[in-house]
Amino acid sequence: MTREAARELVRWFLQSQGAGMSKGLNENGLGGAMVGGAQLYFEHHEDTQQLECSALVYRFREDPKPGVIDGFRAEAQEGTDAGGGTVDFETESKCLFLSRDYAQMPAGSTFSKDMERLMKASLDWGSTVLDRVASRVFGT
């Protein structure tokens, strides 16, 4: 998917969600918005021609304790609904996301449904799954 196609897809989606007159992606291929309580981030990867779509689960203040990220990955492997995404921890930002990639341009209705599933899952993971992982890892 070209950067221009990704920009138009993201722009269309954000505007359809009431996020205002978004450009979609900036000149660096990055974009994001708050939609329905969920924080979405978009990144076009020029080298692979893919659009990465991520929904924030949790932003750590410090590096997560050992076992925490593995606990989230175990939840996904055990079948906890990740909204079609995968567990994605970004070390630089210390953010945990559910992310999915698009190499081909999806239909608008498909993309909207995919993003709705991803957003819902990220909100669930930020509350219910976060508590469950903390209980497993820290025994609280």
Side-chain angles (χ1 to χ4, degrees), residues 24-68:
L25 303 175
N26 66 19
E27 58 279 349
N28 296 319
L30 303 172
M34 189 80 155
V35 178
Q39 291 183 39
L40 290 178
Y41 298 91
F42 303 95
E43 181 175 2
H44 180 264
H45 298 278
E46 196 67 38
D47 57 339
T48 60
Q49 292 291 294
Q50 291 191 347
L51 175 63
E52 179 181 3
C53 305
S54 302
L56 181 69
V57 172
Y58 189 76
R59 184 181 320 270
F60 293 88
R61 289 188 181 101
E62 299 174 7
D63 290 337
K65 302 276 189 237
V68 171

Side-chain angles (χ1 to χ4, degrees), residues 52-55 57 73 76 82-89 96-101 118 125:
E52 179 181 3
C53 305
S54 302
V57 172
R73 290 188 177 121
T86 59
V87 174
D88 176 20
F89 179 69
L96 180 70
F97 299 97
L98 295 177
S99 298
R100 61 184 304 157
D101 297 326
L118 195 65
W125 279 59

